[in-house]
């Protein structure tokens, strides 16, 4: 390969990293914008906690349908077209819940939203994993940092739009239009070397996991439960448990997202220094402390540091576990990523609906207390799950 072609490939790799980071941003922003509008959507449709839990379950079920769709379409469309389509479809679908004025309409739009997110998640993580292998150093945490940056933008945008009195159709419509524009701008720059394109076309990404992959999947489930519960229920928790106004309640999700973004920007460097397992254990212990502070805080102001500490702790759990699943001996990287994503979302996305059911039976404080148990399980179990060869 000539020097010129090597330089051209490096530029294309850099452009592809920027483009896939933009797609991660679209995913995070759309997810959190929806979360900040949940209290208003709940009140507008006249729903109780159990019913909003059912709506969140529809998001989960949609995700579980979107993942096999990604497994079917990605080899046929090619990883580049599939990734571009996934980003664009999710950006458009983020407007759907704004039309949910009744429980059936909100549930249907939530299912479509989840379907597009499941498709997006497999595509963007598989693309980032391929780029990580190509550049030869960890980049998964920094890719997920842009997802977190998107959650910050979504939380701040949602809080601002709500504060200015923008109802869901107008506020979510404006935000969705912006995300569609960003996804369209990223599409031409998504790129992978030809051997990764062939690998994606030839790999059957769905297969039964072995014991190690199942263990990694369970740990990822627990991390997802904590992360998604704080995003999906954080604003509602501050409204119901602390008496916050909806616009003020968005600050909890924003604090969590800012801290998580910061943690992920530093995550690749920390993982190289401490090793994967030690980083996971320390991170899970920090997440435990943060959620515990949220649960026992008496006021909104006192709870905000807890959201931030939890964000720092949870930041690198999912990226590291995804990265490990793409490096399992004897398992194609695409298959490892797909297995972990499927297990994680298959179990993890049922966490937020479970929060709703427990909140309906008891209260949201009791439901959030369950999250601390999940963090402790990660601390204790990770060394038994991760093989020695992958611990650094």
């Amino acid at each position: 390969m000539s020097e010129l072609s090597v330089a051209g490939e490096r530029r294309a790799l850099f452009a592809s990293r920027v483009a896939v980071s933009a797609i991660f941003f679209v995913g995070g922003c759309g997810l959190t914008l929806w979360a900040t509008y949940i209290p208003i959507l709940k009140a507008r449709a006249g729903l109780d906690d159990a019913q909003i839990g059912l709506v969140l379950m529809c998001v989960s079920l949609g995700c579980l349908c979107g993942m096999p769709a990604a497994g079917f379409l990605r080899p046929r469309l090619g990883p580049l077209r599939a990734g571009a389509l996934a980003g664009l479809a999710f950006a458009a679908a983020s407007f759907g819940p704004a039309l949910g004025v009744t429980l059936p309409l909100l549930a249907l739009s939530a299912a479509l939203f989840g379907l597009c997110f499941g498709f997006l998640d497999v595509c963007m993580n598989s693309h980032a994993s391929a780029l990580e292998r190509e550049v030869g150093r960890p980049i998964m945490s920094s890719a997920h940092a842009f997802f977190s940056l998107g959650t910050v933008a979504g939380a701040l945008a949602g809080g601002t739009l709500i504060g200015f009195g923008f109802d869901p159709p107008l506020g979510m419509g404006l935000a969705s239009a912006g995300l569609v524009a960003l996804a369209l701008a990223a599409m031409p720059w998504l790129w992978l070397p030809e051997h990764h394109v062939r690998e994606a076309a030839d790999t059957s990404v769905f297969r039964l996991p072995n014991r190690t992959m199942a263990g990694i999947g369970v740990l990822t489930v627990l991390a997802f439960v904590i992360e998604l519960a704080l995003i999906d229920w954080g604003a509602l928790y501050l409204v119901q448990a602390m008496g916050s106004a909806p616009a003020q309640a968005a600050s909890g999700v924003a604090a969590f997202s800012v801290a998580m973004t910061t943690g992920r920007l530093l995550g690749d460097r920390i993982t190289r220094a401490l090793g994967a397992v030690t980083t996971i254990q320390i991170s899970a212990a920090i997440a435990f402390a943060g959620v515990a502070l949220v649960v026992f805080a008496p006021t909104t102001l006192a709870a905000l540091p807890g959201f931030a500490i939890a964000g720092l702790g949870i930041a690198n759990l999912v990226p590291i576990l995804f990265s490990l699943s793409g490096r399992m001996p004897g398992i194609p990287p695409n298959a490892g990523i797909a297995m972990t994503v499927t297990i994680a979302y298959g179990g993890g996305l049922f966490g937020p609906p479970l929060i709703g059911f427990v909140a309906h039976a008891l209260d949201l404080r009791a439901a959030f207390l369950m999250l601390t148990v999940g963090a402790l399980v990660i601390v204790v179990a990770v060394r038994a799950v991760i093989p020695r060869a992958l611990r650094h």
Side-chain angles (χ1 to χ4, degrees), residues 30-49 51-53 55-56 59 93-111 113 158 162 166-173 232-233 235-236 239-240 246:
L31 190 66
T32 315
L33 180 81
W34 139 259
T36 59
Y37 265 96
I38 284 176
I40 293 175
L41 295 170
K42 175 177 181 267
R44 187 180 63 169
L47 307 183
D48 59 26
D49 286 339
Q51 289 172 318
I52 203 68
V55 170
L56 292 173
V59 177
S94 65
F95 171 68
L99 304 177
V101 294
T102 65
L103 177 59
L105 285 174
L106 188 56
L108 180 63
S109 62
F113 178 80
I162 292 168
F166 284 32
D167 62 8
L170 180 56
M172 297 178 75
D232 285 343
W233 286 95
L236 201 57
V239 170
Q240 294 187 186

Side-chain angles (χ1 to χ4, degrees), residues 47-75:
L47 307 183
D48 59 26
D49 286 339
Q51 289 172 318
I52 203 68
L54 287 172
V55 170
L56 292 173
M57 183 175 288
C58 289
V59 177
S60 306
L61 293 173
C63 276
L64 291 179
C65 293
M67 290 164 195
F72 178 81
L73 291 173
R74 192 170 186 266

Side-chain angles (χ1 to χ4, degrees), residues 295-320:
V295 170
F296 294 108
T299 65
T300 298
L301 189 60
L304 293 182
F307 277 99
I309 293 169
L312 283 173
I314 207 69
N316 292 301
L317 295 180
V318 171
I320 293 172

Side-chain angles (χ1 to χ4, degrees), residues 172-266:
M172 297 178 75
L174 289 172
S176 178
L179 295 179
V180 167
L182 181 56
L184 285 171
M187 285 172 61
W189 302 102
L190 289 171
W191 179 82
L192 288 173
E194 185 60 32
H195 64 94
H196 285 296
V197 176
R198 290 195 302 270
E199 175 190 83
D202 295 339
T203 300
S204 176
V205 297
F206 285 97
R207 59 182 67 188
L208 291 176
N210 58 26
R211 182 192 298 183
T212 300
M213 289 302 303
I216 291 175
V218 170
L219 295 181
T220 313
V221 165
L222 295 174
F224 261 125
V225 167
I226 300 170
E227 180 178 337
L228 294 177
L230 288 168
I231 291 173
D232 285 343
W233 286 95
L236 201 57
Y237 178 89
L238 292 177
V239 170
Q240 294 187 186
M242 305 292 185
S244 303
Q248 184 187 23
S251 61
V253 181
F256 175 81
S257 300
V258 168
M260 188 162 63
T261 302
T262 303
R264 285 178 172 171
L265 288 171
L266 300 173

Side-chain angles (χ1 to χ4, degrees), residues 61-199:
L61 293 173
C63 276
L64 291 179
C65 293
M67 290 164 195
F72 178 81
L73 291 173
R74 192 170 186 266
R76 288 158 179 81
L77 295 175
L80 307 183
R81 280 180 290 184
L85 175 63
L88 187 60
F90 177 74
S94 65
F95 171 68
L99 304 177
V101 294
T102 65
L103 177 59
L105 285 174
L106 188 56
L108 180 63
S109 62
L112 179 61
F113 178 80
L115 176 77
C116 293
F117 185 75
F119 183 30
L120 173 69
D121 204 61
V122 171
C123 289
M124 67 186 184
N125 278 290
S126 295
H127 195 100
S129 177
L131 288 174
E132 184 175 61
R133 299 195 306 277
E134 192 64 28
V135 301
R137 62 180 184 275
I139 66 167
M140 190 67 83
S141 286
S142 59
H144 279 253
F146 281 89
F147 183 90
S148 300
L149 189 60
T151 67
V152 174
L156 294 176
T160 300
L161 292 167
I162 292 168
F164 279 104
F166 284 32
D167 62 8
L170 180 56
M172 297 178 75
L174 289 172
S176 178
L179 295 179
V180 167
L182 181 56
L184 285 171
M187 285 172 61
W189 302 102
L190 289 171
W191 179 82
L192 288 173
E194 185 60 32
H195 64 94
H196 285 296
V197 176
R198 290 195 302 270
E199 175 190 83

Side-chain angles (χ1 to χ4, degrees), residues 356-375:
F357 299 141
V358 174
H360 184 70
L362 300 172
D363 59 31
L364 269 175
R365 285 187 190 273
F368 268 47
L369 191 60
M370 296 190 309
L371 304 180
T372 62
V373 177

Side-chain angles (χ1 to χ4, degrees), residues 257-283:
S257 300
V258 168
M260 188 162 63
T261 302
T262 303
R264 285 178 172 171
L265 288 171
L266 300 173
D268 293 331
R269 189 179 307 170
I270 293 170
T271 303
R272 286 197 299 269
L274 300 179
V277 169
T278 300
T279 302
I280 289 172
Q281 284 187 305
I282 293 174
S283 297

